[in-house]
Amino acid sequence: MSDKVFIFDTTLRDGEQVPGCKLNTKEKIELALLLEELGVDIIEAGFPISSPGDFESVKLIAQQVKTATVAGLSRSVEKDIETAAAALRFAAKPRIHTGIGTSDYHIKHKFNSTREEILERAIKAAKFARRFTDDVEFFCEDAGRSDTEYLARVVEAVIKAGATTVNIPDTTGYCLPQQYAEKIAYLINNVPNIDKAVVSCHCHNDLGLATANSIAGAAVGARQIECTINGIGERAGNTSLEEVVMIMRQHPELNLHTDINTRMLNEVSQRVADTMRMPVQANKAIVGANAFSHSSGIHQDGFLKNAQNYEIINPDEVGAAGSKIVLTARSGRSALAYRFKNLGYDFNRDEVDVLYEAFLQVADKHKEVDDEALEQLAKTVVAETN
Ligand code: KIV
Ligand code: ZN
């Protein structure tokens, strides 16, 4: 049996921090219930101290979500933690997510502090959070650039103080997959009480490595991945939920699984994009409009012979509308014949040759040749050849 990786969705917190993506309470509740239906294990509902509106959203989500754990973010500040606890009071499964920066950048230039002082603050925060719930996650912000031995000391101390999940964020998206994996492996192999906590990956995408880093972390023993739908999040975004889930599904050799209902991925992606008014890029893995589209002649011919020549995922598995053969000036004869067949025309090889020349004239003038243009072509060419 493969190991389960917990999916911690932060679309409503890290994702919602994106300029223009702010949601009202009703929208946040609707998306939280959808995420629960999708099968995420933990929903980070917001940052309760940040505004009265966010407090209210977290409170209402906590009341309505029944099966998933609901998390609220806080800094390592008592007032923050108390406020998060108050917002989560009615949650069936509340989690306080607290933490502090552990890199020397953050220690010196954000807190004007020292490693020892930060360690003390971290311990105090984890202990204080445990007064309100048994489920405490501690984040070591900028862990990606933190000194690994110091990070290990913080992780050991916060677990001793009561943290049940330790979050190792690559906050600035700096690490290479191997570096991130080495950091996680170091913690797993050197922190004496690490077996008392779940290790979590929280990766940002500044170098386009968020997904690769999260999978690298899970491959060496992390058992929670923090991610967002469509990969939205601060700056270049967070790890994309749909990508990590499908990587684990497509690669059984990783021996990892999640409880996500993958058939809902496209629907949820669209709902998040519409609600947040943040369109999904067409070439986005799994959920982009072109994720199952084939437009060059070589690919189309291979795909039509056997879909697996050019598709590693069955579109049904992720709830996509289906594979598409798109006609452009780069398309070939077999794709043209296929599309004509779908429209009810069964042209022979010689007819397709004639139609193909006419098609190229049209295709060179337009980005894509649609059904209407194909019908027109068929009529003209048929009329000319009769
Ligand atoms: O990127 C980050 O470090 C975060 C923490 C607040 C968890 O979002
Ligand atoms: Zn983050």
Side-chain angles (χ1 to χ4, degrees), residues 267-288:
E267 177 203 340
V268 176
S269 158
Q270 212 41 62
R271 279 279 291 282
V272 167
D274 293 346
T275 315
M276 290 196 159
R277 293 160 285 276
M278 175 66 105
V280 180
Q281 72 196 58
N283 61 326
K284 171 80 183 59
I286 322 292
V287 293

Side-chain angles (χ1 to χ4, degrees), residues 13-14 17 73 97 139-142 167 169-171 202 204 226 238:
R13 199 278 297 169
D14 226 330
Q17 288 171 205
L73 186 75
H97 186 194
F139 67 84
C140 301
E141 199 182 6
D142 205 15
N167 178 9
D170 185 21
T171 305
H202 177 116
H204 279 265
E226 310 200 359
N238 287 58

